[in-house]
Amino acid sequence: MITFSFIMQILAQAATILQLVRARPGNICSKHRYCFQLRHLSGSKAWRMRLVQFLTIGEQNGMRVGVEKGGGNVIDLNSFDSSLPRNMKEFLEKGDIAMETARRALHCGKHALRHSDITLLSPVTNPDKVVCVGMNYMDHCLEQNVPIPKEPIIFSKFGSSIVGPCSDIIYPAESNEVDWEVELAFVIGKKGKHIKKEEAMDYVAGFTIANDVSARDWQMKRNGKQWLLGKTFDTFCPLGPAIVTRDALSDPHNLGIRCRVNREVMQDSNTNQLIFKTDAIVAWVSQFVTLYPGDVFLTGTPSGVGVFRKPPVFLKIQKSEDTYQPTQEQLLPCCHQTSEWPNLVLS
């Protein structure tokens, strides 16, 4: 005799089989020999990840996208799901679908690579725009004795200035006054225009570290004192190592931020000194231009830059071990070596 409960068990098994048939292999990890694709089971958007771009050492597979795993490994997202884009800009354009795939890959733990087997690149390359905010720290305004801005001071760098977190910075022959500026940066995650301040954080994919390397002679004395040329020499925007998704930071506006030159701390402040915070910057800039996934924003630098020291201090060509290192709490340090092509390194 067939009971009602028996019929319900058969229907449940049939539904499971149908899901397996529709699933794409390679998308979700299983203890068995199958891999299944899972749909959203809840409205949660808690990604809590560190996203990177990298190259594998000794292979010619080109750029890949990954997510950092505890213990110092990186999950190769393109090996986990070959349909994913191989650069961060296009990955972010996929929105929640790509983020959910990355979360599943992190949970699965397969396709892990050691950091020693990869070369980290900037977490974003070829963005539509690099937007910078000038004089956006209270202590930076005080050190140069200028009024607190009443609205964001916006300038830009060209995308060609972006390099990875441990890439060489080329010291241009055209300048004798190259300076450092550690900055909190954020990356746009979805397209928007005329974004309301209260909705602005929904457009931010995550945060990273940048250094707004600056040729002060070209910024302050040449080119009509317009900032662009002094800010945008090739390699003048080291970025990374990772995009830390916004939910993974307890408060991006209460982070320690510092820069060391040859192990000496030159800048040491906190992002609570920011005058215009992330939401205000997004709302302000989006009045004028459309924001796209992958757009990079540099939010300003705190006090301690070389040009306002007494006497001024600038980076100089010295020994191969000379480095400077910007760091932020919860973002991990990055190491920027400055060089004159190809092998000379600056302090």
Side-chain angles (χ1 to χ4, degrees):
M1 182 177 179
I2 300 176
T3 64
F4 178 78
S5 61
F6 177 78
I7 293 174
M8 294 302 295
Q9 291 176 15
I10 294 296
L11 290 175
Q13 291 175 6
T16 301
I17 292 171
L18 182 59
Q19 288 178 352
L20 299 183
V21 170
R22 291 176 175 173
R24 283 180 56 189
N27 281 348
I28 199 72
C29 189
S30 169
K31 294 181 180 179
H32 307 291
R33 65 188 183 93
Y34 298 102
C35 286
F36 312 127
Q37 182 180 22
L38 299 185
R39 303 297 182 187
H40 288 285
L41 299 180
S42 71
S44 174
K45 298 287 183 64
W47 314 117
R48 299 184 183 275
M49 295 180 294
R50 295 173 54 87
L51 301 168
V52 297
Q53 285 188 143
F54 66 94
L55 299 172
T56 54
I57 296 175
E59 295 186 13
Q60 302 300 320
N61 292 332
M63 185 185 301
R64 304 177 80 83
V65 177
V67 57
E68 289 190 341
K69 179 179 173 61
N73 293 330
V74 171
I75 303 296
D76 184 344
L77 292 178
N78 299 114
S79 293
F80 179 77
D81 186 340
S82 60
S83 71
L84 283 176
R86 296 171 68 99
N87 66 78
M88 190 65 69
K89 182 179 175 181
E90 293 181 9
F91 176 90
L92 293 174
E93 288 172 352
K94 294 290 185 181
D96 287 354
I97 294 174
M99 287 290 195
E100 176 64 19
T101 301
R103 188 194 64 78
R104 295 198 307 266
L106 184 60
H107 178 74
C108 176
K110 291 186 176 180
H111 308 291
L113 301 171
R114 295 175 299 179
H115 269 286
S116 58
D117 294 330
I118 66 173
T119 299
L120 283 176
L121 305 174
S122 165
V124 178
T125 45
N126 300 316
D128 184 75
K129 59 186 73 70
V130 181
V131 180
C132 308
V133 188
M135 295 192 290
N136 197 31
Y137 274 74
M138 296 287 292
D139 54 3
H140 185 47
C141 291
L142 290 173
E143 77 172 341
Q144 52 187 307
N145 195 27
V146 296
I148 303 301
K150 297 186 183 307
E151 57 189 24
I153 298 173
I154 303 299
F155 63 98
S156 68
K157 297 169 87 81
F158 294 144
S160 54
S161 65
I162 292 178
V163 290
C166 288
S167 298
D168 287 347
I169 299 168
I170 301 172
Y171 197 109
E174 294 80 6
S175 176
N176 295 309
E177 297 181 357
V178 177
D179 201 353
W180 56 84
E181 290 193 10
V182 62
E183 308 209 9
L184 173 70
F186 64 86
V187 180
I188 295 297
K190 64 179 181 179
K191 181 179 177 180
K193 182 76 183 291
H194 294 295
I195 300 167
K196 297 179 181 178
K197 183 177 178 181
E198 57 269 22
E199 299 173 355
M201 294 303 291
D202 292 337
Y203 290 80
V204 176
F207 294 84
T208 189
I209 308 169
N211 207 300
D212 179 15
V213 183
S214 304
R216 300 300 188 190
D217 37 9
W218 283 92
Q219 178 192 359
M220 298 179 170
K221 305 171 187 175
R222 307 280 301 273
N223 193 43
K225 298 184 180 180
Q226 294 185 39
W227 292 3
L228 177 63
L229 291 184
K231 295 284 190 173
T232 203
F233 280 97
D234 288 350
T235 74
F236 267 27
C237 187
L239 199 64
I243 297 173
V244 180
T245 54
R246 65 178 186 272
D247 58 296
L249 292 175
S250 55
D251 182 1
H253 305 115
N254 190 24
L255 298 172
I257 178 170
R258 60 191 60 88
C259 177
R260 296 180 178 87
V261 179
N262 288 345
R263 295 169 293 279
E264 180 182 353
V265 175
M266 306 301 279
Q267 293 180 274
D268 190 359
S269 186
N270 192 288
T271 57
N272 62 20
Q273 290 283 304
L274 280 166
I275 299 165
F276 302 101
K277 295 180 169 52
T278 302
D279 53 357
I281 295 170
V282 169
W284 177 261
V285 174
S286 70
Q287 295 179 92
F288 307 98
V289 296
T290 301
L291 304 185
Y292 293 98
D295 283 354
V296 176
F297 280 69
L298 276 60
T299 62
T301 197
S303 62
V305 297
V307 69
F308 296 123
R309 292 176 176 268
K310 297 181 176 22
V313 178
F314 299 110
L315 300 172
K316 300 183 184 301
I317 299 174
Q318 292 186 353
K319 301 172 297 223
S320 61
E321 66 269 19
D322 290 340
T323 64
Y324 70 98
Q325 186 176 47
T327 65
Q328 280 184 290
E329 294 171 358
Q330 300 185 53
L331 298 187
L332 293 186
C334 51
C335 175
H336 304 314
Q337 295 188 355
T338 49
S339 71
E340 181 182 27
W341 183 262
N343 294 316
L344 298 179
V345 179
L346 308 170
S347 63

